Amino acid sequence: MVLVGDDALVRRGMERLAAERDADLVAVGRGGPDAVANGRTRPEVIVVDACQPPETISAWHDRFPDALVVGFLAVPDRKRWTVAERAGCDVVVNRGAAVAQARSRLRAPGLRRLPLVDSADVAGRLGLVARIEDSPAGPLALYRVGSSLVAVDDLCPHAGAQLSAGTLDGVVLTCPRHGSQFDVSTGERVRGPADAGIRVHRVVEEAGRAWLVL
């Protein structure tokens, strides 16, 4: 495990977590992954002060892409929060919740989350609310259907058209190019010429954000 920052409270919590998991804790204070002396280190979790420069966070994320990266802030700051997420943090929380977040997510390996939109920005809207060009799952279209947000692949499996440019009637999305239709709640094909459905991705709303669960 790695702690990037000088916060004494977080360090004590990380020491307890490392002991629980019988793991080593490397505290580097500030700086990128070159500060880890042992080149064989493969941390399962990196807890980083979100006030670090975004390029520092990105360097840790890029060097150890399989590690869970938890950012923390001593004082809530929406701008720093967003910058840290975009730099590579899987989650950003207040300092008091950093270790608890790391512990809970380590208990459920494989669950990674990507921030999509602020819930306030899409409140009260129906239909298409956002298009995400670049995500680990590829281009996505985010829809509000009833009280739920759903994310689907934004490429038609028939000829690769951008589905978000089509029309949504209830839960039925019509491709703008050749008229294939899909149920955005299940991904099932309603009619051709597409001969396959589209992927539907899990979305959760928490702490004022909508998250894509990978």
Side-chain angles (χ1 to χ4, degrees), residues 29-53:
R30 304 186 67 83
D34 290 341
V36 178
N38 183 357
R40 295 174 296 176
T41 298
R42 289 293 181 269
E44 60 179 347
V45 61
I46 301 166
V47 175
V48 55
D49 187 335
C51 289
Q52 297 273 348

Side-chain angles (χ1 to χ4, degrees), residues 78-212:
R78 172 56 68 182
K79 182 177 179 180
R80 288 187 181 276
W81 196 295
T82 301
V83 168
E85 287 176 339
R86 291 175 178 171
C89 287
D90 294 295
V91 62
V92 181
V93 295
N94 295 331
R95 64 194 282 261
V99 176
Q101 279 286 340
R103 180 182 287 108
S104 65
R105 288 171 184 251
L106 288 172
R107 288 173 178 165
L111 289 183
R112 307 292 292 276
R113 303 199 306 180
L114 173 75
L116 297 176
V117 295
D118 287 347
S119 296
D121 291 341
V122 298
R125 296 170 55 186
L126 293 175
L128 180 70
V129 296
R131 184 173 191 271
I132 296 86
E133 295 274 359
D134 185 19
S135 85
L140 301 176
L142 184 66
Y143 292 91
R144 173 77 72 182
V145 179
S147 61
S148 301
L149 287 172
V150 296
V152 301
D153 285 355
D154 197 20
L155 293 175
C156 181
H158 174 239
Q162 183 178 307
L163 289 174
S164 58
T167 58
L168 182 70
D169 183 9
V171 296
V172 177
L173 175 62
T174 301
C175 175
R177 186 175 298 174
H178 299 113
S180 296
Q181 292 185 328
F182 309 92
D183 184 329
V184 296
S185 64
T186 65
E188 294 180 356
R189 180 185 73 93
V190 176
R191 79 173 188 196
D195 57 8
I198 55 176
R199 287 189 302 170
V200 176
H201 304 269
R202 181 183 171 197
V203 177
V204 298
E205 290 190 79
E206 181 180 299
R209 307 295 296 277
W211 304 80
L212 175 71

